Amino acid sequence: MIIQMLKFNTVLNGRPSAKEAASRIQQIINGSAERENVVLDFTGVEVLTPSYADELLRTLREKYGIDKIEIINTSKAVVETLKAVAALVS
Amino acid sequence: MHCVFRDELDARLNKIQRIFAHFGLNEVERSMATSLVGELGNNVFDHNDGQWPTSVRGAIILAQMNPQKRRVEVVVADPGIGFSGSLKALNPNIASDVDAIKLGLTGVTGRVGESRGQGLQIVQNWTIEKFAGTVRIHSGRGLVEIDANGQRVETVFPIVGTLASFMVKYK
């Protein structure tokens, strides 16, 4: 299932917003992750803060497993955020 | 700009990004710089909500540019409990404001039982590695400045709360 992150905002900031988004994504998926991957499409997202990325990905990976989460269509800045968060988590 | 509540900060990040564009930062630079403002602003509310020492609350964000040197300096200030106030619950042996800031910069957080504390590390890493800039934290009587040459600490005049700033050089 493809989740268009743009529909949450073009600027994705902070843990409270990420918690809400993770909860909403779980409702949207509603069981489909058992059959298919959860694809987070970042088309149109201009800013992704590290705290948002950490909270969202941590929650979804704990729920569905790290292998089920795919990230696509990231800008250079979004990639930098994802790299920075991955480096500090690992 | 004064963001009294977290939602105001969220809503104004779009405007902050446009201000950075106006300053001349390219798409990647302004996106990353806006992320840094977001992280510093989030810290204000994460560590002070429920504990503001006076009736004045929120994050005060200031930015100034030096177009000749292609530098932008951003300050995120708050009249909150400061690094010592936030970290002492978990680390009661902190001896000074400088020690509290240094501890906070390593990723230690005063938010008990949560996996977090990366924000300030990323603020330092990006400012130094991506922007060849400087991070400056003044909290209580402590002042810590970090750039590519390392960390400098000083005990200075006291303030209520925290001034967190980063200076970036853009292309």
Side-chain angles (χ1 to χ4, degrees), chain B residues 1-19:
Chain B
M1 61 178 67
H2 184 186
C3 303
V4 180
F5 298 101
R6 185 192 295 272
D7 287 349
E8 285 181 83
L9 170 72
D10 273 345
R12 285 175 168 166
L13 287 177
N14 265 316
K15 182 175 184 181
I16 289 168
Q17 195 186 195
R18 287 200 303 276
I19 291 171

Side-chain angles (χ1 to χ4, degrees), chain B residues 5-153:
Chain B
F5 298 101
R6 185 192 295 272
D7 287 349
E8 285 181 83
L9 170 72
D10 273 345
R12 285 175 168 166
L13 287 177
N14 265 316
K15 182 175 184 181
I16 289 168
Q17 195 186 195
R18 287 200 303 276
I19 291 171
F20 285 142
H22 192 65
F23 282 173
L25 277 68
N26 68 33
E27 194 179 333
V28 178
E29 289 168 337
R30 65 181 178 249
S31 175
M32 293 175 74
T34 305
S35 279
L36 297 184
V37 176
E39 283 304 303
L40 293 175
N42 292 335
N43 280 349
V44 170
F45 297 101
D46 289 347
H47 295 283
N48 290 299
D49 272 355
Q51 301 189 87
W52 295 101
T54 72
S55 60
V56 183
R57 53 166 290 150
I60 298 155
I61 302 168
L62 307 100
Q64 69 173 2
M65 69 178 297
N66 184 330
Q68 286 175 329
K69 293 184 178 174
R70 298 190 75 73
R71 285 195 328 208
V72 173
E73 183 165 16
V74 181
V75 180
V76 179
D78 69 75
I81 59 175
F83 275 67
S84 290
S86 180
L87 288 168
K88 266 191 174 163
L90 262 187
N91 305 274
N93 296 326
I94 290 172
S96 69
D97 289 318
V98 164
D99 287 348
I101 298 168
K102 286 168 70 177
L103 193 62
L105 288 168
T106 64
V108 172
T109 177
R111 299 267 306 206
V112 183
E114 293 177 306
S115 298
R116 54 165 73 210
Q118 305 155 338
L120 275 179
Q121 287 177 285
I122 291 172
V123 170
Q124 292 172 85
N125 292 346
W126 281 6
T127 302
I128 296 167
E129 292 164 16
K130 308 289 183 187
F131 290 112
T134 305
V135 175
R136 204 174 282 119
I137 310 280
H138 181 178
S139 183
R141 288 180 179 276
L143 176 65
V144 177
E145 193 174 281
I146 312 113
D147 59 21
N149 296 319
Q151 195 180 75
R152 292 169 296 285
V153 303

